[in-house]
């Protein structure tokens, strides 16, 4: 996160205290992956969400618009390609979770993995692996996709 903040501060010619919120949003959207950061920044610049204001003589942006901005199709394709290299159990667990929505609780995964509804696949272990890959986030007993586009991929 700090690397993104330093880079934005340097490139935009602003102190880091001004770019901190922007860099946090960029990190949340891209998980800090350099290719995603570059693609995301190009996208918000091309759409005028991040622009240079001649009047203010500095770069300006709208935090709310950036928060609502989705990552581009190029990034989505890159994510989909990355999913193809994963172990089949991880991909299967992600597919099941995507059918359940943006987030899922460990209780639901344990129930599905009990063998009563589907074959046992050790989905919790697969989701932990997905978390280590940066594909899922975990807060307490809840797993959530780290990117909207991951769920769709």
């Amino acid at each position: 996160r700090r690397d993104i903040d330093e880079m934005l501060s340097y490139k935009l010619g602003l102190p880091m205290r001004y770019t901190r919120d922007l860099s946090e949003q960029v990190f949340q959207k891209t998980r800090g992956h350099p290719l995603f950061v570059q693609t995301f920044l190009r996208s918000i610049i091309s759409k005028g969400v991040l622009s240079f204001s001649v009047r203010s003589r500095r770069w300006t942006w709208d935090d709310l618009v950036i928060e609502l901005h989705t990552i581009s199709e190029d990034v989505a394709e890159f994510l989909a390609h990355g999913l193809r290299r994963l172990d089949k159990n991880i991909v299967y667990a992600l597919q099941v979770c995507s059918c359940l929505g943006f987030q899922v609780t460990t209780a639901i995964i344990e129930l599905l993995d009990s063998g009563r509804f589907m074959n046992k696949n050790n989905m919790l272990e697969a989701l932990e692996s997905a978390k280590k890959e940066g594909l899922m986030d975990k807060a307490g007993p809840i797993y959530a996709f780290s990117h909207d586009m991951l769920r769709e991929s």
Side-chain angles (χ1 to χ4, degrees):
R1 291 177 189 205
R2 183 162 172 83
D3 291 341
I4 293 172
D5 197 20
E6 288 174 355
M7 186 259 315
L8 286 173
S9 174
Y10 175 76
K11 292 291 187 182
L12 301 178
L14 294 169
M16 285 183 11
R17 68 180 180 272
Y18 291 121
T19 59
R20 194 163 290 123
D21 290 341
L22 174 62
S23 63
E24 181 62 33
Q25 287 183 321
V26 170
F27 181 83
Q28 287 176 359
K29 296 285 185 179
T30 64
R31 302 301 282 173
H33 191 288
L35 177 63
F36 297 174
V37 170
Q38 182 181 25
T39 304
F40 184 74
L41 289 172
R42 282 185 179 154
S43 175
I44 62 175
I45 289 170
S46 71
K47 292 184 174 153
V49 177
L50 173 62
S51 61
F52 187 80
S53 168
V54 176
R55 184 177 202 192
S56 301
R57 294 185 295 179
R58 71 180 197 93
W59 288 89
T60 60
W61 57 90
D62 185 336
D63 289 326
L64 292 175
V65 175
I66 291 174
E67 188 175 319
L68 297 173
H69 191 79
T70 58
I71 58 177
S72 73
E73 294 300 318
D74 293 340
V75 174
E77 180 55 37
F78 189 82
L79 289 172
H81 177 70
L83 291 176
R84 290 184 207 116
R85 68 170 174 72
L86 295 173
D87 179 79
K88 66 178 181 161
N89 290 334
I90 297 172
V91 173
Y92 179 75
L94 293 172
Q95 288 171 335
V96 170
C97 288
S98 72
C99 293
L100 299 173
F102 184 70
Q103 61 186 26
V104 63
T105 65
T106 54
I108 291 173
I109 295 300
E110 288 170 349
L111 182 64
L112 290 172
D113 214 20
S114 69
R116 290 178 24 195
F117 299 100
M118 52 200 303
N119 295 335
K120 287 188 176 192
N121 289 300
N122 204 357
M123 287 178 42
L124 283 177
E125 183 179 306
L127 289 178
E128 279 300 313
S129 296
K131 181 180 150 210
K132 289 177 186 170
E133 292 281 336
L135 303 172
M136 298 290 280
D137 292 324
K138 186 176 181 196
I142 298 173
Y143 285 93
F145 285 92
S146 58
H147 294 285
D148 295 335
M149 295 302 258
L150 271 172
R151 183 174 157 256
E152 296 171 15
S153 295

